[in-house]
Amino acid sequence: MATLEQVEEEPFVVECYEGTPGPALWSDGTTSFSQWCFDQLGGERYLESERQANAFECDGVTCRNPYTGGSYPDPAAIASDVEERSRADAEASGCATGGCLEAYRACRDGLVSGDGCAYWGF
Protein backbone atom coordinates (compact mmCIF):
# COMPACT_ATOMS: atom_id res chain seq x y z
CA MET A 1 0.00 0.00 0.00
CA ALA A 2 1.40 3.40 -1.01
CA THR A 3 1.49 6.30 1.38
CA LEU A 4 0.79 9.88 0.32
CA GLU A 5 4.51 10.67 0.44
CA GLN A 6 5.27 7.94 -2.09
CA VAL A 7 2.87 9.17 -4.79
CA GLU A 8 4.51 11.64 -7.17
CA GLU A 9 2.04 14.08 -8.54
CA GLU A 10 2.38 15.45 -12.06
CA PRO A 11 2.78 19.25 -12.08
CA PHE A 12 -0.43 21.13 -12.80
CA VAL A 13 -1.20 24.67 -13.91
CA VAL A 14 -1.48 27.07 -11.01
CA GLU A 15 -1.87 30.26 -13.06
CA CYS A 16 -2.07 31.25 -16.72
CA TYR A 17 -0.02 34.38 -17.33
CA GLU A 18 -1.79 37.26 -19.03
CA GLY A 19 -0.45 38.62 -22.30
CA THR A 20 0.74 36.17 -24.91
CA PRO A 21 -1.45 33.04 -24.53
CA GLY A 22 0.34 29.93 -23.31
CA PRO A 23 2.88 30.71 -20.57
CA ALA A 24 1.85 29.33 -17.17
CA LEU A 25 3.08 28.93 -13.63
CA TRP A 26 3.10 25.24 -12.73
CA SER A 27 2.66 23.63 -9.29
CA ASP A 28 6.36 22.68 -9.19
CA GLY A 29 7.35 26.37 -9.47
CA THR A 30 8.39 26.29 -13.12
CA THR A 31 7.13 28.55 -15.87
CA SER A 32 6.50 27.00 -19.28
CA PHE A 33 3.97 26.64 -22.07
CA SER A 34 0.54 25.21 -21.31
CA GLN A 35 -1.74 24.21 -24.16
CA TRP A 36 -4.68 24.60 -21.77
CA CYS A 37 -3.72 28.24 -21.03
CA PHE A 38 -3.16 28.85 -24.73
CA ASP A 39 -6.66 27.60 -25.50
CA GLN A 40 -8.30 29.39 -22.55
CA LEU A 41 -6.79 32.76 -23.43
CA GLY A 42 -7.68 32.66 -27.15
CA GLY A 43 -4.37 31.49 -28.55
CA GLU A 44 -5.69 30.83 -32.06
CA ARG A 45 -7.23 34.33 -32.27
CA TYR A 46 -3.93 35.76 -31.04
CA LEU A 47 -1.95 33.91 -33.74
CA GLU A 48 -4.39 35.03 -36.44
CA SER A 49 -4.05 38.67 -35.36
CA GLU A 50 -0.25 38.30 -35.49
CA ARG A 51 -0.47 36.90 -39.03
CA GLN A 52 -2.74 39.75 -40.10
CA ALA A 53 -0.51 42.39 -38.52
CA ASN A 54 2.36 41.22 -40.74
CA ALA A 55 0.42 40.62 -43.97
CA PHE A 56 1.67 43.41 -46.22
CA GLU A 57 1.08 43.30 -49.97
CA CYS A 58 3.47 45.36 -52.13
CA ASP A 59 2.63 46.74 -55.57
CA GLY A 60 5.98 48.23 -56.56
CA VAL A 61 5.20 51.62 -55.02
CA THR A 62 3.58 51.01 -51.64
CA CYS A 63 3.20 48.06 -49.29
CA ARG A 64 -0.23 47.94 -47.63
CA ASN A 65 -1.76 45.78 -44.93
CA PRO A 66 -5.36 44.93 -45.92
CA TYR A 67 -6.26 44.13 -42.30
CA THR A 68 -4.83 47.13 -40.46
CA GLY A 69 -4.71 49.76 -43.20
CA GLY A 70 -1.03 50.41 -42.44
CA SER A 71 1.39 51.15 -45.27
CA TYR A 72 5.01 51.98 -46.05
CA PRO A 73 6.99 52.65 -49.24
CA ASP A 74 7.84 49.50 -51.18
CA PRO A 75 11.57 48.83 -50.58
CA ALA A 76 11.91 47.54 -54.17
CA ALA A 77 10.69 50.89 -55.50
CA ILE A 78 13.08 52.80 -53.23
CA ALA A 79 16.06 50.70 -54.35
CA SER A 80 15.09 51.15 -58.00
CA ASP A 81 14.73 54.92 -57.54
CA VAL A 82 18.12 55.16 -55.81
CA GLU A 83 19.71 53.10 -58.59
CA GLU A 84 18.21 55.32 -61.28
CA ARG A 85 19.45 58.47 -59.51
CA SER A 86 22.89 56.87 -59.12
CA ARG A 87 23.01 56.09 -62.84
CA ALA A 88 21.93 59.64 -63.71
CA ASP A 89 24.60 61.11 -61.39
CA ALA A 90 27.28 58.86 -62.91
CA GLU A 91 26.24 59.61 -66.48
CA ALA A 92 26.28 63.34 -65.72
CA SER A 93 29.96 62.87 -64.83
CA GLY A 94 30.58 61.32 -68.29
CA CYS A 95 30.37 57.73 -67.05
CA ALA A 96 28.13 55.59 -69.27
CA THR A 97 29.69 52.11 -69.51
CA GLY A 98 28.84 49.26 -67.16
CA GLY A 99 32.37 49.12 -65.73
CA CYS A 100 32.41 52.83 -65.14
CA LEU A 101 29.04 52.67 -63.38
CA GLU A 102 30.38 49.90 -61.11
CA ALA A 103 33.43 52.08 -60.34
CA TYR A 104 31.11 55.01 -59.62
CA ARG A 105 29.09 52.94 -57.13
CA ALA A 106 32.25 51.63 -55.46
CA CYS A 107 33.61 55.18 -55.08
CA ARG A 108 30.24 56.51 -53.90
CA ASP A 109 29.89 53.75 -51.31
CA GLY A 110 33.45 54.19 -50.04
CA LEU A 111 34.60 50.74 -51.18
CA VAL A 112 37.46 52.28 -53.22
CA SER A 113 39.13 55.66 -53.33
CA GLY A 114 42.09 57.35 -54.95
CA ASP A 115 43.02 58.24 -58.49
CA GLY A 116 40.32 56.13 -60.14
CA CYS A 117 37.60 57.98 -58.24
CA ALA A 118 39.29 61.36 -58.74
CA TYR A 119 39.62 60.75 -62.51
CA TRP A 120 35.85 60.58 -62.87
CA GLY A 121 35.20 63.30 -60.33
CA PHE A 122 33.71 61.00 -57.72
Side-chain angles (χ1 to χ4, degrees):
M1 172 176 208
T3 64
L4 288 177
E5 292 82 32
Q6 293 173 327
V7 176
E8 277 195 38
E9 189 175 88
E10 289 290 318
F12 56 89
V13 172
V14 173
E15 175 185 3
C16 294
Y17 290 127
E18 292 296 321
T20 305
L25 173 63
W26 293 80
S27 60
D28 63 0
T30 61
T31 298
S32 64
F33 178 81
S34 160
Q35 185 66 47
W36 184 80
C37 289
F38 179 82
D39 295 339
Q40 293 299 308
L41 296 175
E44 288 302 322
R45 285 189 319 274
Y46 177 84
L47 292 178
E48 180 60 26
S49 69
E50 285 292 308
R51 280 189 287 275
Q52 290 177 357
N54 295 303
F56 283 86
E57 298 168 356
C58 301
D59 62 11
V61 176
T62 304
C63 295
R64 290 184 179 80
N65 185 310
Y67 302 101
T68 66
S71 66
Y72 60 89
D74 188 337
I78 294 169
S80 174
D81 183 48
V82 167
E83 188 60 33
E84 287 303 315
R85 282 187 281 132
S86 295
R87 178 178 287 279
D89 291 345
E91 289 173 352
S93 297
C95 181
T97 66
C100 183
L101 291 172
E102 290 301 315
Y104 167 77
R105 290 184 193 105
C107 292
R108 176 200 65 199
D109 297 342
L111 301 174
V112 296
S113 61
D115 293 340
C117 295
Y119 175 80
W120 290 103
F122 309 141

Short mmCIF file of all heavy atoms in Angstrom, two decimals, residues 1-4 6-7:
data_model
loop_
_atom_site.label_atom_id
_atom_site.label_comp_id
_atom_site.label_asym_id
_atom_site.label_seq_id
_atom_site.Cartn_x
_atom_site.Cartn_y
_atom_site.Cartn_z
N MET A 1 0.84 -1.18 0.00
CA MET A 1 0.00 0.00 0.00
C MET A 1 0.89 1.24 0.00
O MET A 1 1.81 1.37 0.78
CB MET A 1 -0.90 -0.05 1.23
CG MET A 1 -1.67 1.18 1.44
SD MET A 1 -2.75 0.90 2.85
CE MET A 1 -4.02 1.97 2.46
N ALA A 2 0.60 2.18 -0.88
CA ALA A 2 1.40 3.40 -1.01
C ALA A 2 0.90 4.46 -0.05
O ALA A 2 -0.29 4.61 0.16
CB ALA A 2 1.31 3.93 -2.43
N THR A 3 1.86 5.18 0.52
CA THR A 3 1.49 6.30 1.38
C THR A 3 1.44 7.56 0.52
O THR A 3 1.92 7.59 -0.61
CB THR A 3 2.51 6.49 2.51
OG1 THR A 3 3.75 6.85 1.93
CG2 THR A 3 2.64 5.23 3.34
N LEU A 4 0.90 8.62 1.06
CA LEU A 4 0.79 9.88 0.32
C LEU A 4 2.16 10.41 -0.09
O LEU A 4 2.32 10.99 -1.14
CB LEU A 4 0.06 10.93 1.16
CG LEU A 4 -1.43 10.72 1.32
CD1 LEU A 4 -2.01 11.79 2.23
CD2 LEU A 4 -2.12 10.74 -0.02
N GLN A 6 4.69 8.74 -1.03
CA GLN A 6 5.27 7.94 -2.09
C GLN A 6 4.67 8.24 -3.47
O GLN A 6 5.23 7.88 -4.48
CB GLN A 6 5.09 6.46 -1.78
CG GLN A 6 5.89 6.01 -0.57
CD GLN A 6 5.56 4.59 -0.19
OE1 GLN A 6 4.44 4.14 -0.36
NE2 GLN A 6 6.55 3.88 0.34
N VAL A 7 3.54 8.87 -3.52
CA VAL A 7 2.87 9.17 -4.79
C VAL A 7 3.42 10.48 -5.34
O VAL A 7 3.32 11.52 -4.70
CB VAL A 7 1.34 9.26 -4.60
CG1 VAL A 7 0.67 9.65 -5.90
CG2 VAL A 7 0.80 7.95 -4.07
#
